[in-house]
Every structure is written in structure tokens, then in C-alpha cells.
Amino acid sequence: MYSLPSQAMRPLSLSPCLTRSSYLRFRILSSLSLPPIFHNSQTRLSFSKNYTRPHLFIRNCTSITAKPSSEFNRNRTQDAPDEKLRALRELFSRPGVNIDAYIIPSQDAHQSEFIAECYMRRAYISGFTGSAGTAVVTKDKAALWTDGRYFLQAEKQLSSSWILMRSGNHGVPTTFEWLNDVLAPGGRVGIDPFLFSSDAAEELKEAVAKKNHELVYLYDLNLVDVIWKESRPKPPNKPIRVHALKYAGLDVASKLSSLRSDLVDAGSSAIVISMLDEIAWLLNLRGSDVPHSPVMYAYLIVEIDRAKLFVDDSKVTPDVMDHLKNASVELRPYNSILSEIKSLAAQGAQLWLDPSSVNAAIMNTYEIAIQKYLTSNNNKKSKTKMHAGTTGQSGGPAGVFRTSPIAFSKAVKNSAELEGMLNSHLRDAAALAQFWVWLEEEIHNGAKLTEVDVADKLLEFRSKQSGFLDTSFDTISGSGANGAIIHYKPEPGKCSVVDSKKLFLLDSGAQYVDGTTDITRTVHFGEPTAREKECFTRVLQGHIALDQAVFPQSTPGFVLDAFARSSLWKIGLDYRHGTGHGVGAALNVHEGPQSISFRYGNMTPLVEGMIVSNEPGYYEDHAFGIRIENLLYVKEVGTPNRFGGVSYLGFEKLTFVPIQTKLVDLSLLSAAEIDWLNNYHSQVWEKVSPLLDGFARQWLWNNTRPVAKD
């Protein structure tokens, strides 16, 4: 799957480049001192347990304007008035609300990338269905921000009532710059505090205060939910399952023990965990609440001597109940999280909270409870005579604001997790071979297949593989110009027929019981043009360069990004997304904290055992798209020298599916690059052919033959 232009775990972007929360999450993770199973890097830096918010630089923008989305298609007639916007604005003046603007992010209360349908509020209000974006509605304007992956999609989906803000483009304001420009001083900006991380809410609060605006937390109601009414989908309630130890590689007791050691080291008495994949990984549980991601909606509080899981107990099966009891994990109602936070603060608990992931509702509740505790204790002390030598200061609760230690630990896969990932990728490769031989035959016979038909058939082949559970994201099946839409989702009745005379891009993945896959291949069913072959070959050269990279330990991913772009840069081409994202082991297809991206704020080092994607691409708007993606894991490599006494790292492949050689201009490849391609295809044949027979096996043979320059 295309790599996110910013941190995978934080799709909401208040600023056009790197948000403070994503910067902190990566920067702090790279320096956090963790116990053995949580961190084993030799480059750890000390980290003060006193959290200080860094200075935020905001570009000075005045009198900023942007074109409404309707201007990008001048032949379209003016849309009818937007009834959803009208209904939403009517709520602005309701008692207890009284706001001038309302911000609707893409996230749920856990900062998830993929969310349950009932939480897709931004998509409901705007009509834009891309996974990343932020909508802002004032009393007379509505604007939507999204990044380069979604520009073309947003142009198509937004009505003329909306202004499309192309985040990252020159002159495009951030959400708060725009609000400061369009609202009269002293305005009230409303948000649902459950949908913003503490960092994001604080950043927004500070920014709008520059024009004396007030950020208003609307705890008791979400305005979009009010107008959604009965048509809003019901919350998910599918059963949770135990993730077997043979796939997890480490039992829950061991994970909790290491986490508790970290709590002691940090001077904390409990940690609040809200990221769904962190909870699933820590407790060796999996769910089905979120499309494409095997997680369940829950919060987790781990204390020194106990742990509490906040979840809808109707999802808890007897097996899961026994599993939790064996790990001494208690159940609590999902919606009781705030009351538990208040209770812990009243007991003087020192809570560890990750401000980049814990929502503002939880953080603000804790801060208010702390003040209440301190005020109560100080009032009691003021009624008693002070003893000589005392300071009168309370030893009450104080937050430990650090990034979660679980993210890094989860990212470094153990041997069982790597084995499951490799095995699932081989079964996935077999399904893809069966699929490609079918598709090529259908196209050759003149069948008229839509992009949705193709995606559905791929799902059919995958579903026959053992351990298959779900897709890991919506399949991107794009023919011709649709391939240039980086996050394209074909829809029945609206998509294109696969054209044998155009490039076809297929980006897909699956969730298996033992692993998560993500692969992109670009093919041509006829004769590609010289331009298409040159672009494809340069993308392939970037893919090879990154695959072969060798780098010293402690190297952050952004250092490697240029390897994948260099061949494109030589002829003045580039692409608008990151080159690599982390991938979970039978978990989220996008996983932090590591990434390979041109955005250099992420200082997380690549560590042995981490998994990343390798997916350079090139896209010509309204013409074609090219992307080649494999998953890799980081391994130590032998080098004749060890400068500085450090180890050197490289990559090992997890993905084994042929790359179409007729799209390669061999005259552009070096001898070493041709050797790489031939060696890769030799591995594909060796590893995947035992899983195939008949036409699929023959197809694999035909597509893994060595190539050579004339």
C-alpha cells in the first residue's frame, strides 16, 4: 500500500508538513530508555520524565484564499444547497454549544487510521471518502484538507459547497491559519475532544488563541452524530479472539512484566493505552471492529499490580475471558474510562500518558482531576498547623507525559512473528499467481472486466488460502488514469473497465491469522509505450537501490529515502508519498514508529526485526500510475569493516511475486540491477512454485525466466 506522507499512525495533519505530535512520537521513541523487550538499541539517549512541549513554528499567512472544488471542473453544474451543512450549522447556536466553527477530523477516539463505519463522520459530512483529511465548517464556509494522495479523489467527491485545501502545496494554509483568517477575533471553535490527540488539541488551542479564539471541548455530543440520526451505522460488536502464542511469540505475562518495569523506571504507577493495535499486541488478542485491521475498540490501563481492559463485554468469549484471567486482566465497561481516570487521580496515581495518542478528553479529565486533588489536599493542610521543616507542597498525582513504550517493542518482530509473516506472504503469493493467470487469460479473451470485478476476484483467490481473515486495506485496482490516483478505490457503477492498452496498477493486501501482507504490482496487458517503460524502469531502479541498501545501526529511515528516488530525480521526476511504512505482524498494515520518507522529522532508527515497505512510484495525472512494492524486514549484514565498532544492517525480502519484465527497458539497467532482477525471480520460483500446480505454476515459470540485454 502507498506509504503515508507522514507518520502512519497519525493521519490527521493540522499543519501541511510534520505535526508536532508525529514529530514527538518519533523523536521521543528513538531516545526512550526501555527494558529489554521494549528496546534493545545501543543508541539510546536519556529522556527526562518531565515532558516539555516544543516550540511550534507557524507560517505567517494573511488574506489566504483557495478555489472551491467546483472550479476544478467548470463543466459541472452548481450543486444544490448542502442539507447536511445546513443542519450542522443550525446546531452552532444550540444552548451549551454556541460556536462559530466546528472541526471534523478523520479519526476515532483512538487515533486510528482505519475506523468503524459508525465513526466515519468526516466522510459523512463532506462526501469525501479518503482515509486522511480534516473538515472545517464555519457559519458560511466549509473546507476540507487532504494530502497529495487524495487530490484527484477529493476533486471528484466534494460538492461545490466545499473548498478543497491541498495540504503541502505552496500557499495553502493550515486549518488554524485559515480559521484565524476567516473568523472575526474572539470566535469559538468547537471540537469533539475524544477525536483529537492531546497534542493536536493543544496545538490547535495555542494557534487559534493568536486571534483570541477559544477552543471549545464539546464532551457530551458530537454534532455530526446529531444530524446523522438513525441512519448512523451501529457500533461493531463482533467477538474478540485469542492470538495464539505460536504466532505471538511472547506471552502476555512477559509483556506486562516488562512494561511494569518500565513504569517503575519512569516513576509512574500506571499507564493509559488507547492505541488499538498496542492493546491487541500487548494482550495477544485480535478483533474485528475495524475494517482491515484485526483490532477491537478498547482502552487498557496497566498498573503495577493489576490491569484493566475497558471493552464491550458482549465481545468477550469464554476463551478470551479465561485468557484475560490467566494474565490477571480485569474487565471494565468501555465508556467508563473517564470515571476510572478521575478515580485514579483521586488516589494520587502518577499516570503515564502519551500526548501524541491519548485523546484530549482523557488528558483534560486527568489534568482537571489533578487540580481537584491538589486543591482538596491544600485546603486540608491549610486547616492544620504546619510542622517545622515542611514545605507545604503535596506529593500528589502528576502526569508522566512520554510516548508509549509499546509502539517500538511491537515494531521489532520476534522470530515467531517473522516466521508467520514469511509463511503468510508465501500463501499470499500463491493466491496472486492464481489470480494473475486468470486475469491475463480473461483479458486475452476480450472479457470486459471492471476494476471492481478484478478486486473481487482477487479476494476470491485469497479467501481460499488457509488462515485468511480479511483484506488489509481496500484494494487499489486502477486502470490507466485511475492508477495515477494514489489512493484510488473503485466503486461499482463508477469505476472503469480494465483496458488492455493501458497500464494497470494493483495494490492489495490481506490479513491472515499469522501475518499481514501488502504488495503492489503494475502491469501492461498489451504493448507499453517507451515512456511507460522508462518510467517503470526508473521506479524499479529505485526499488532495487533501497532493497540493496546497507547502512549503520541507528540510521533513521529518512536517510534511505533518496535511494528510491534517485533514478527518477535524474530525469526530473518524483512521487508525492513516502517510500516505506512499517507493517504489523497480523496487525495494522500501517504501523509506526519507523518509516522511510522524505520527511526528515522521524528520527526513529531502523532496528533489526522491523518490517518496512519498499514502494517507490511515479504518477502522471490523468494518464497512468506506476508503483512496485515489496515488504522487507531489517536484518544484520556482514561487512568486511565495522567503522566505529557498530553493526551494519540491510534488508531481507518477505514478498515473492514476479515483476513484469516486459515493462522493463533493459538498456537502462546496469549489470548488477539485471542480476538483482534475475536473482529475485529465482527466489520467487524456488519459494512459491511448490504451492502451485497447473496453469498457475506454468505462469510463475514463464514470469520468472532470466532476462539479459541484447
Side-chain angles (χ1 to χ4, degrees):
M1 189 180 186
Y2 57 87
S3 182
L4 292 173
S6 57
Q7 210 249 93
M9 305 302 295
R10 300 288 177 273
L12 171 64
S13 178
L14 294 175
S15 58
C17 297
L18 180 71
T19 66
R20 176 171 59 182
S21 61
S22 63
Y23 174 85
L24 282 171
R25 187 169 180 83
F26 285 129
R27 183 65 180 269
I28 296 170
L29 263 170
S30 67
S31 61
L32 184 62
S33 177
L34 301 172
I37 74 159
F38 283 88
H39 198 343
N40 195 26
S41 171
Q42 298 179 15
T43 60
R44 292 181 297 210
L45 303 175
S46 62
F47 181 82
S48 169
K49 69 179 179 181
N50 294 319
Y51 175 87
T52 302
R53 300 185 188 276
H55 183 69
L56 176 68
F57 293 93
I58 302 176
R59 186 177 67 253
N60 181 26
C61 296
T62 57
S63 302
I64 300 167
T65 59
K67 293 181 180 180
S69 59
S70 57
E71 291 194 24
F72 296 102
N73 187 348
R74 297 182 180 277
N75 295 325
R76 185 173 65 183
T77 58
Q78 188 72 13
D79 296 303
D82 193 312
E83 287 302 311
K84 293 177 184 176
L85 288 176
R86 181 195 61 75
L88 183 69
R89 287 167 175 146
E90 285 183 355
L91 299 176
F92 285 11
S93 57
R94 174 185 283 195
V97 178
N98 188 26
I99 57 175
D100 301 291
Y102 192 59
I103 303 177
I104 306 108
S106 300
Q107 284 75 16
D108 55 22
H110 305 268
Q111 303 302 298
S112 306
E113 177 189 5
F114 298 125
I115 61 177
E117 190 177 2
C118 60
Y119 300 129
M120 295 180 180
R121 300 174 174 105
R122 190 261 304 142
Y124 172 77
I125 194 68
S126 69
F128 168 64
T129 59
S131 65
T134 302
V136 182
V137 179
T138 69
K139 291 179 178 179
D140 60 354
K141 293 179 175 64
L144 182 130
W145 280 255
T146 192
D147 60 60
R149 298 167 295 151
Y150 300 95
F151 291 166
L152 295 178
Q153 180 180 348
E155 286 176 17
K156 291 182 177 182
Q157 293 182 327
L158 291 178
S159 75
S160 59
S161 298
W162 288 85
I163 302 168
L164 173 57
M165 297 292 191
R166 292 171 169 77
S167 294
N169 280 7
H170 180 70
V172 175
T174 64
T175 52
F176 43 74
E177 288 170 341
W178 185 75
L179 281 168
N180 284 345
D181 189 61
V182 302
L183 293 182
R188 286 167 53 89
V189 179
I191 66 169
D192 181 339
F194 285 95
L195 306 185
F196 287 77
S197 72
S198 174
D199 267 352
E202 187 66 22
E203 181 183 24
L204 181 59
K205 180 181 178 181
E206 293 173 1
V208 299
K210 294 179 181 297
K211 286 293 185 74
N212 297 318
H213 301 314
E214 177 187 0
L215 187 65
V216 180
Y217 286 6
L218 300 175
Y219 279 92
D220 298 328
L221 78 166
N222 183 287
L223 301 189
V224 176
D225 292 350
V226 174
I227 66 170
W228 209 343
K229 299 180 180 178
E230 291 78 13
S231 62
R232 183 186 176 204
K234 300 297 182 184
N237 62 352
K238 294 181 180 178
I240 302 169
R241 59 184 170 86
V242 176
H243 188 55
L245 184 59
K246 64 180 179 179
Y247 304 134
L250 197 62
D251 61 75
V252 179
S254 298
K255 293 179 180 180
L256 290 176
S257 177
S258 290
L259 178 57
R260 284 170 174 140
S261 295
D262 207 49
L263 294 181
V264 172
D265 291 343
S268 174
S269 54
I271 182 171
V272 179
I273 306 163
S274 63
M275 298 296 289
L276 302 184
D277 61 332
E278 293 185 7
I279 296 170
W281 179 86
L282 188 63
L283 298 182
N284 288 346
L285 294 176
R286 297 295 187 266
S288 305
D289 285 354
V290 177
H292 316 302
S293 299
V295 296
M296 61 282 176
Y297 278 107
Y299 297 98
L300 179 65
I301 296 179
V302 178
E303 301 174 58
I304 297 299
D305 57 353
R306 62 197 302 193
K308 302 167 189 172
L309 179 65
F310 298 79
V311 68
D312 179 355
D313 61 7
S314 68
K315 304 173 187 177
V316 179
T317 65
D319 284 346
V320 170
M321 182 66 78
D322 290 341
H323 174 77
L324 292 172
K325 284 182 178 179
N326 289 337
S328 299
V329 178
E330 306 167 19
L331 289 183
R332 295 287 188 275
Y334 176 79
N335 290 325
S336 67
I337 183 65
L338 293 187
S339 62
E340 183 68 21
I341 297 295
K342 294 176 185 177
S343 175
L344 287 170
Q347 298 168 38
Q350 313 280 346
L351 292 190
W352 182 331
L353 297 145
D354 180 349
S356 69
S357 62
V358 169
N359 64 55
I362 289 176
M363 184 70 78
N364 201 48
T365 296
Y366 182 55
E367 291 174 348
I368 291 172
I370 287 176
Q371 291 303 314
K372 184 176 180 181
Y373 177 97
L374 296 176
T375 300
S376 175
N377 277 11
N378 287 337
N379 288 340
K380 290 177 182 178
K381 288 186 178 183
S382 68
K383 296 177 182 179
T384 63
K385 187 178 292 186
M386 296 291 294
H387 294 286
T390 62
T391 64
Q393 294 180 343
S394 169
V400 177
F401 301 131
R402 295 188 183 184
T403 196
S404 167
I406 302 167
F408 199 100
S409 178
K410 175 170 54 64
V412 180
K413 310 302 188 278
N414 59 48
S415 58
E417 290 172 320
L418 287 175
E419 181 182 0
M421 288 292 282
L422 179 57
N423 289 338
S424 60
H425 273 78
L426 293 180
R427 299 196 305 277
D428 202 56
L432 282 159
Q434 294 164 348
F435 161 80
W436 282 117
V437 70
W438 167 83
L439 181 58
E440 288 182 3
E441 182 67 16
E442 291 293 305
I443 296 296
H444 177 75
N445 291 334
K448 299 297 183 183
L449 298 171
T450 68
E451 295 159 331
V452 169
D453 293 335
V454 170
D456 288 346
K457 192 67 176 182
L458 175 55
L459 175 59
E460 181 182 323
F461 281 111
R462 275 194 167 119
S463 64
K464 295 176 182 177
Q465 292 297 321
S466 63
F468 174 83
L469 299 171
D470 192 6
T471 54
S472 56
F473 55 94
D474 287 322
T475 297
I476 300 171
S477 169
S479 178
N482 289 338
I485 303 174
I486 298 172
H487 186 271
Y488 174 68
K489 179 183 176 182
E491 298 180 3
K494 299 179 181 179
C495 65
S496 299
V497 170
V498 176
D499 192 331
S500 64
K501 298 179 181 179
K502 296 178 180 179
L503 285 173
F504 176 66
L505 186 153
L506 186 71
D507 187 347
S508 66
Q511 293 287 1
Y512 294 92
V513 68
D514 52 346
T516 303
T517 70
D518 181 3
I519 174 176
T520 308
R521 290 293 183 264
T522 307
V523 302
H524 201 297
F525 300 106
E527 290 300 320
T529 66
R531 169 69 171 177
E532 291 168 339
K533 291 181 68 172
E534 180 183 16
C535 292
F536 182 91
T537 304
R538 291 190 177 276
V539 171
L540 175 61
Q541 287 176 304
H543 182 94
I544 294 171
L546 182 57
D547 180 272
Q548 293 185 313
V550 175
F551 48 94
Q553 67 180 51
S554 305
T555 299
F558 77 84
V559 173
L560 305 181
D561 184 73
F563 288 40
R565 299 178 191 268
S566 179
S567 292
L568 288 166
W569 285 350
K570 288 176 181 177
I571 59 170
L573 299 180
D574 204 347
Y575 49 95
R576 288 194 186 103
H577 58 74
T579 299
H581 58 84
V583 179
L587 266 175
N588 291 355
V589 73
H590 279 154
E591 177 181 85
Q594 76 277 17
S595 71
I596 300 174
S597 173
F598 59 91
R599 298 178 186 272
Y600 50 82
N602 183 358
M603 300 300 295
T604 305
L606 295 178
V607 174
E608 186 175 3
M610 283 183 171
I611 293 174
V612 293
S613 64
N614 174 8
E615 50 182 312
Y618 174 66
Y619 313 89
E620 288 197 359
D621 288 354
H622 313 294
F624 62 81
I626 296 167
R627 188 160 61 251
I628 304 171
E629 177 187 16
N630 284 351
L631 296 191
L632 312 170
Y633 68 87
V634 182
K635 66 171 186 177
E636 185 173 349
V637 297
T639 54
N641 304 289
R642 292 168 63 94
F643 182 81
V646 302
S647 299
Y648 279 73
L649 304 174
F651 296 113
E652 191 68 57
K653 286 174 276 291
L654 288 169
T655 307
F656 295 98
V657 174
I659 295 168
Q660 192 179 61
T661 54
K662 79 172 177 181
L663 273 169
V664 180
D665 182 346
L666 293 175
S667 69
L668 295 176
L669 295 186
S670 67
E673 289 168 333
I674 292 176
D675 286 344
W676 181 95
L677 185 60
N678 288 335
N679 289 337
Y680 176 63
H681 281 154
S682 176
Q683 291 180 64
V684 171
W685 171 255
E686 178 185 347
K687 294 176 181 295
V688 182
S689 62
L691 305 178
L692 298 171
D693 55 22
F695 292 120
R697 184 180 172 89
Q698 185 61 49
W699 178 90
L700 191 72
W701 172 262
N702 294 341
N703 284 274
T704 55
R705 294 307 84 216
V707 295
K709 289 185 179 181
D710 294 333

